[in-house]
């Protein structure tokens, strides 16, 4: 039961950052930093209590790899993806690494799939144009959250 604790900051910070990103196209560093700090603290304490640091090490590794993937996407997207998204990838990668380490790539794929569907619907309904900006943070959170929840269930 205690291993479900990292889901609480994921839901709280993920939702809060998603709302901010939707409104302002910004992911504030201080909130992303708090998200990282709280997740690492919770995961470290759980690992220490269980005397098993493998899961924590895996989560850190997946967080690093996820961040590198988003950094590469940032570099090739020429400004379509922001550095806030790259920073946000680290705590989301921690959560995916904690709950379903082998599904980290699926979380990224689901994020892009949902964002793509929203963009297509926006284009078809004429609420968006090809030049419209789409905040990606909410989709990153949603993709990660869905993968983690389905892994827990």
């Amino acid at each position: 039961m205690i291993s479900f604790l990292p889901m609480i900051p994921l839901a709280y910070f993920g939702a809060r950052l998603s709302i901010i990103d939707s409104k302002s196209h910004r992911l504030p560093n201080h909130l992303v930093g708090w998200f990282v700090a709280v997740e690492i603290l919770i995961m470290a304490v759980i690992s220490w209590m269980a005397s098993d640091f493998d899961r924590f090490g895996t989560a850190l590794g997946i967080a690093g790899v996820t961040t590198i993937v988003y950094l590469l996407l940032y570099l090739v997207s020429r400004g379509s993806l922001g550095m806030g998204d790259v920073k946000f990838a680290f705590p989301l990668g921690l959560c995916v690494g904690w709950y379903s380490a082998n599904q980290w790539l699926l979380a990224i794929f689901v994020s892009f799939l949902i964002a793509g569907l929203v963009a297509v619907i926006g284009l078809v309904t004429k609420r968006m144009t090809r030049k419209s900006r789409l905040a990606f943070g909410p989709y990153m959170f949603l993709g990660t959250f869905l993968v983690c929840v389905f892994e827990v269930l």
Side-chain angles (χ1 to χ4, degrees):
M1 182 66 178
I2 196 165
S3 67
F4 291 111
L5 282 177
M7 193 67 79
I8 296 169
L10 171 62
Y12 172 75
F13 285 105
R16 189 164 174 202
L17 285 161
S18 293
I19 291 167
I20 292 168
D21 195 22
S22 294
K23 292 179 180 178
S24 67
H25 291 269
R26 300 236 179 260
L27 291 162
N29 288 339
H30 71 280
L31 283 179
V32 175
W34 276 108
F35 186 10
V36 171
V38 170
E39 285 292 9
I40 286 177
L41 179 66
I42 289 172
M43 291 175 186
V45 168
I46 292 170
S47 296
W48 177 72
M49 289 172 58
S51 296
D52 179 20
F53 288 95
D54 288 344
R55 190 174 186 185
F56 182 53
T58 300
L60 286 170
I62 296 298
V65 170
T66 303
T67 305
I68 290 169
V69 168
Y70 274 100
L71 179 60
L72 292 172
L73 291 170
Y74 166 76
L75 293 172
V76 299
S77 73
R78 294 177 281 146
S80 295
L81 196 69
M83 269 310 288
D85 298 322
V86 175
K87 296 173 205 171
F88 192 34
F90 189 84
L92 294 176
L94 272 173
C95 295
V96 171
W98 183 262
Y99 288 110
S100 55
N102 56 344
Q103 302 294 329
W104 68 273
L105 202 52
L106 178 63
I108 295 171
F109 175 76
V110 170
S111 301
F112 277 96
L113 179 67
I114 296 169
L117 289 173
V118 169
V120 167
I121 292 168
L123 290 170
V124 168
T125 60
K126 308 246 190 251
R127 293 178 186 229
M128 295 176 73
T129 67
R130 294 185 71 202
K131 301 279 185 191
S132 296
R133 292 177 54 203
L134 187 66
F136 192 59
Y139 305 104
M140 292 173 66
F141 163 63
L142 190 56
T144 299
F145 189 75
L146 288 173
V147 166
C148 290
V149 165
F150 280 113
E151 187 67 26
V152 169
L153 297 177

